[in-house]
Amino acid sequence: PLGIRGAAFSLSLSDTIDIPVFTPSLNDLNVTSISFDLTFDPQKLVPIAVVSKDALTQIWGNLTHTVSGNRLHVAGGGTIPLR
């Protein structure tokens, strides 16, 4: 497994924000699928979409996501490795 990190941010009630997720270099690792969970306080945050535009994963098309309670699960994959 690879470690991931998110950006620090602050927001106000009813703001819509993007939360980028970063990885270390994926060169030569032949990564053809990813999945991760993001936990959140559902009283303060409501996930509405997962976007891969302008991201490494855009070559795979749209990532899938599900929300269950306080957990957002994101997954995706393709035949072309991420670089």
Side-chain angles (χ1 to χ4, degrees):
L2 295 173
I4 63 171
R5 65 180 173 87
F9 59 91
S10 62
L11 57 133
S12 299
L13 187 62
S14 77
D15 282 352
T16 300
I17 60 167
D18 291 334
I19 303 173
V21 176
F22 303 95
T23 67
S25 174
L26 301 175
N27 291 337
D28 302 321
L29 295 179
N30 201 32
V31 174
T32 56
S33 66
I34 61 164
S35 69
F36 64 90
D37 291 327
L38 173 76
T39 57
F40 60 94
D41 182 340
Q43 299 297 316
K44 297 178 182 176
L45 184 68
V46 177
I48 56 174
V50 172
V51 179
S52 56
K53 180 180 179 270
D54 298 327
L56 290 176
T57 56
Q58 72 182 356
I59 62 173
W60 295 338
N62 294 329
L63 300 176
T64 62
H65 70 281
T66 55
V67 178
S68 179
N70 70 337
R71 186 172 306 271
L72 168 67
H73 178 75
V74 179
T79 58
I80 301 170
L82 298 180
R83 301 239 174 249

